[in-house]
Amino acid sequence: MFTGIVAAVGRIEAVKPLGTDEAAGVRLTIDAGALDLTDVALGDRIACSGACMTVVEKTARTFDVDVSRESLNCTIGLAAPGDVNLEKALTAHERLGGHIVSGHVDGLGTVARFAPVGESHELRIVAPKDIGRYLAYKGSITVNGVSLTVNSVDDGDDGCEFSINLIPHTVEVTTLKHLKAGDKVNLEVDLIARYVERMLSTASTIQRS
């Protein structure tokens, strides 16, 4: 589990195919940047731009993860060299500064707008309808591994457009600063919203029976 509070920006240095067929995944070598790896062991989990990955090799400054083809098909930003938001798995004694994040990407959104508004930035994203139903005003959403608060929700025929206000600190310490209209982003909905939907649907089934 994670909190969506990015600890460092790392960089994918190398992408090595794990096989020759179309179903093969890749092994990534990631420079951890300012992320301290001294307490990271093989088998530990690190969220890479919102996707939970298992450490399979490490040095003092880098770590390797294997990414399946399924994960590559469901995410963006893990198939080529580039910057990634990094967060180590949550431990019981740490502050839950963001919200409960599983590191399992639900789908991709498309950036509609990213522009300065006063001292902050407005980020508007169009999410698919099956993700949009979990979004709520002042609720939580994870974008490329960053825990953010939804400021508005507008359902449309082609999806759900929602807005987020990014304070200067968030822009400075994450890869979100590089976003532009048309970019794809990894989205993970609030875990609590999933359980609420499940409980309501189950309750309806029980009542009908």
Side-chain angles (χ1 to χ4, degrees):
M1 303 299 291
F2 305 90
T3 69
I5 303 299
V6 172
V9 173
R11 183 168 181 81
I12 298 174
E13 292 187 330
V15 181
K16 179 182 177 182
L18 293 174
T20 57
D21 58 54
E22 295 182 353
V26 297
R27 174 165 293 192
L28 306 180
T29 298
I30 300 174
D31 186 322
L35 190 72
D36 183 11
L37 296 179
T38 56
D39 62 344
V40 174
L42 299 186
D44 284 355
R45 306 299 179 92
I46 297 178
C48 302
S49 287
C52 177
M53 296 293 160
T54 301
V55 177
V56 295
E57 297 286 349
K58 62 166 284 194
T59 68
R61 69 173 186 86
T62 68
F63 64 95
D64 288 8
V65 297
D66 289 344
V67 187
S68 69
R69 177 52 53 183
E70 174 65 17
S71 292
L72 291 173
N73 291 341
C74 296
T75 61
I76 195 76
L78 298 178
D83 291 345
V84 287
N85 294 318
L86 300 177
E87 180 190 356
K88 291 186 284 190
L90 179 68
T91 60
H93 71 277
E94 292 176 326
R95 292 187 178 93
L96 187 61
H99 69 284
I100 298 173
V101 176
S102 68
H104 300 153
V105 174
D106 291 300
L108 301 181
T110 303
V111 175
R113 169 182 165 85
F114 182 61
V117 177
E119 77 285 354
S120 300
H121 278 70
E122 180 190 36
L123 175 60
R124 299 189 70 88
I125 297 172
V126 177
K129 287 184 177 181
D130 61 343
I131 290 178
R133 70 176 185 267
Y134 295 106
L135 300 176
Y137 174 64
K138 297 305 180 183
S140 297
I141 183 71
T142 305
V143 179
N144 284 353
V146 185
S147 172
L148 298 167
T149 300
V150 176
N151 282 345
S152 68
V153 179
D154 183 15
D155 292 308
D157 294 336
D158 298 326
C160 174
E161 182 171 315
F162 64 97
S163 69
I164 295 164
N165 180 73
L166 298 179
I167 63 173
H169 176 77
T170 302
V171 174
E172 180 182 353
V173 302
T174 70
T175 63
L176 299 183
K177 65 172 70 70
H178 303 304
L179 292 177
K180 59 185 183 301
D183 284 350
K184 299 292 185 181
V185 290
N186 296 321
L187 299 177
E188 181 186 336
V189 301
D190 188 358
L191 187 63
I192 296 174
R194 294 175 184 274
Y195 283 113
V196 170
E197 180 187 53
R198 175 61 177 164
M199 286 187 292
L200 290 175
S201 64
T202 303
S204 298
T205 302
I206 294 173
Q207 289 175 355
R208 288 196 300 269
S209 61

